[in-house]
Amino acid sequence: MIFENRFLDKVAIVTGAGQGIGKGVAERLANEGAKTVLVDRSDIVLGVADELAKQGLQVLAVLADLETYAGFEKVVAETLKAFNRIDILINNVGGTIWAKPYQHYKEDEIVKEINRSLYPTLWGCHSVLPAMIENKGGVIINVSSIATRSINRIPYAAAKGGVNALTASLAFEQAPNNIRVVAIATGGTEAPARIVPRNENKMTAEEEVWYQQIVDQTRESTLVKKYGQIEDQVNAILFAASDEAKYITGITIPVSGGDLG
């Protein structure tokens, strides 16, 4: 359901906007009145932004590697150049790359998982703060995961645990500046096959077994015993980002069919 003009004249940055949850969030924000900046390191985001622009919506696409501080600084600079302010940041970039018991991870794989699922959120929060403080307010939504209590993806779980801690502490620190910070812990979510996979290498037979164990454990951990839909996550993220949630900050909200992570 689209709420007409719920984000009218707000400037919102959405990371990982080329596909999946990020794409759904960006589309809804734009349709609900936001000046929306769609960020991804894949050029598929250009097509998403182009389709929204054809509808007469105010959008900007930015290509950037958000695993680097310079990448996020570029996003902020281009957003301010185009729209002069930043009201909302949706930190959506992240996602487990490998699925296997922890003892099978290599050193570089652990580093890559942390770089993928923690650093973009750290850089994003840091980069937008000056603009939000100058504007005397803002909202940061960090997309986390119930995988903080999961199997076969321990580095990813550690990264999302860091996102939850960042959310709580940053909200505490920035409340005097009228900046809200909320995390949405996504549960198992059905989505189309990724256009750009997180892992370019095909899973081995053993890795497919380990991945299926994640799926089975995630489904079993929910009260409803099934995966949710992208729309379920988008609805929660947009609610948390809206003025309807103006008295909610510093918490992680699970959207996971009852799995608290």
Side-chain angles (χ1 to χ4, degrees), residues 6-15 25 29-30 32-39 72 75-76 79 83 85-91 124-125 128-129 131-132 135 137-142 179-180 182 237-243:
R6 179 163 53 161
F7 296 98
L8 184 64
D9 294 329
K10 299 287 188 182
V11 177
I13 297 172
V14 184
T15 71
V25 169
L29 278 168
E32 293 189 22
K35 299 172 183 176
T36 307
V37 180
L38 293 81
V39 186
F72 228 117
V75 171
V76 168
T79 301
F83 299 123
R85 60 185 292 127
I86 299 170
D87 299 293
I88 299 167
L89 168 63
I90 312 295
N91 276 316
C125 290
V128 301
L129 281 178
M132 288 187 173
N135 292 343
V139 181
I140 298 172
I141 306 299
N142 296 325
I179 296 171
R180 291 194 301 111
V182 177
I237 291 167
L238 265 66
F239 164 72
S242 75
D243 289 342

Side-chain angles (χ1 to χ4, degrees), residues 37-196:
V37 180
L38 293 81
V39 186
D40 210 294
R41 65 181 176 187
S42 169
D43 61 8
I44 61 174
V45 76
L46 302 177
V48 178
D50 186 56
E51 287 301 312
L52 292 171
K54 288 177 181 177
Q55 300 172 38
L57 303 174
Q58 297 186 74
V59 296
L60 171 69
V62 180
L63 295 177
D65 180 2
L66 301 184
E67 292 181 18
T68 69
Y69 183 68
F72 228 117
E73 287 287 281
K74 172 189 175 183
V75 171
V76 168
E78 294 199 20
T79 301
L80 294 175
K81 180 180 178 181
F83 299 123
N84 300 313
R85 60 185 292 127
I86 299 170
D87 299 293
I88 299 167
L89 168 63
I90 312 295
N91 276 316
N92 173 67
V93 165
T96 189
I97 306 170
W98 290 277
K100 52 188 172 182
Y102 192 40
Q103 67 269 26
H104 292 282
Y105 276 85
K106 299 174 183 177
E107 178 185 0
D108 67 310
E109 292 173 343
I110 294 170
V111 171
K112 288 177 181 178
E113 293 279 12
I114 300 300
N115 285 345
R116 175 69 57 84
S117 292
L118 178 57
Y119 273 105
T121 300
L122 282 168
W123 300 145
C125 290
H126 188 274
S127 296
V128 301
L129 281 178
M132 288 187 173
I133 291 170
E134 182 177 349
N135 292 343
K136 296 181 170 51
V139 181
I140 298 172
I141 306 299
N142 296 325
V143 177
S144 182
S145 173
I146 50 85
T148 48
R149 188 178 179 88
S150 180
I151 61 171
N152 296 353
R153 45 183 174 167
I154 300 303
Y156 174 68
K160 290 306 187 180
V163 168
N164 294 348
L166 166 65
T167 298
S169 297
L170 189 63
F172 202 174
E173 178 183 282
Q174 293 299 323
N177 291 318
N178 193 33
I179 296 171
R180 291 194 301 111
V181 190
V182 177
I184 299 295
T186 62
T189 304
E190 292 182 359
R194 291 181 61 83
I195 301 170
V196 179

Side-chain angles (χ1 to χ4, degrees), residues 162-258:
V163 168
N164 294 348
L166 166 65
T167 298
S169 297
L170 189 63
F172 202 174
E173 178 183 282
Q174 293 299 323
N177 291 318
N178 193 33
I179 296 171
R180 291 194 301 111
V181 190
V182 177
I184 299 295
T186 62
T189 304
E190 292 182 359
R194 291 181 61 83
I195 301 170
V196 179
R198 295 191 179 105
N199 189 340
E200 296 177 355
N201 298 319
K202 188 178 186 303
M203 286 191 289
T204 66
E206 188 174 39
E207 287 170 338
E208 288 180 354
V209 170
W210 288 332
Y211 183 79
Q212 186 60 45
Q213 288 173 349
I214 291 177
V215 173
D216 294 343
Q217 178 260 304
T218 300
R219 185 178 290 114
E220 184 59 29
S221 294
T222 71
L223 302 185
V224 298
K225 307 304 179 191
K226 65 180 180 180
Y227 271 36
Q229 307 296 317
I230 285 180
E231 181 182 16
D232 298 321
Q233 307 303 334
V234 172
N235 288 341
I237 291 167
L238 265 66
F239 164 72
S242 75
D243 289 342
E244 298 164 42
K246 62 184 175 62
Y247 198 53
I248 299 175
T249 191
I251 63 168
T252 297
I253 302 172
V255 183
S256 54

